[in-house]
Amino acid sequence: MKLNPRIVKKPWGREIWLVVTNKYALKILEINAGNRFSLQYHRFKTETWYLQSGKIKATYGKYTGKNFRKNLKEYLLNPGDVIHVPTRTVHR
């Protein structure tokens, strides 16, 4: 399979889309130091994160409706760490 990456510029850096469907995304996120992307969740899409370099603070938790923020936890990730983000999981 030949990949045809798409580069999408963002205020916080850029995304390199390798595989994107309505159920799964494989992207390279390049986040500029001191920046972050939006708090979000996907009803149908699953993501997997692998941190290649640097350190990040990931926000992560199950979407539970109006008061979902009380269920969020923060994790410090280091190079080599992996997080799987299932559907309906709030993440940043």
Side-chain angles (χ1 to χ4, degrees):
M1 173 168 86
K2 182 179 183 303
L3 296 177
N4 188 16
R6 177 177 169 206
I7 297 174
V8 179
K9 293 185 180 184
K10 300 288 187 171
W12 42 261
R14 70 181 188 161
E15 297 178 341
I16 303 169
W17 296 12
L18 301 174
V19 176
V20 179
T21 72
N22 60 347
K23 294 190 178 186
Y24 185 78
L26 174 59
K27 302 175 185 176
I28 297 170
L29 303 182
E30 294 178 346
I31 302 169
N32 297 327
N35 286 265
R36 65 182 185 180
F37 57 87
S38 61
L39 189 64
Q40 56 190 285
Y41 89 105
H42 309 291
R43 289 177 45 204
F44 304 109
K45 186 171 58 175
T46 297
E47 298 179 354
T48 305
W49 300 357
Y50 169 81
L51 185 61
Q52 181 174 351
S53 64
K55 292 184 179 189
I56 63 169
K57 180 170 51 175
T59 303
Y60 186 92
K62 201 69 176 165
Y63 181 73
T64 55
K66 188 166 85 173
N67 296 318
F68 73 91
R69 289 181 186 272
K70 69 180 179 181
N71 298 318
L72 300 180
K73 294 185 178 169
E74 292 183 341
Y75 300 90
L76 294 177
L77 301 181
N78 295 295
D81 288 345
V82 174
I83 282 188
H84 180 69
V85 185
T87 58
R88 296 190 177 269
T89 302
V90 178
H91 57 283
R92 168 176 27 228

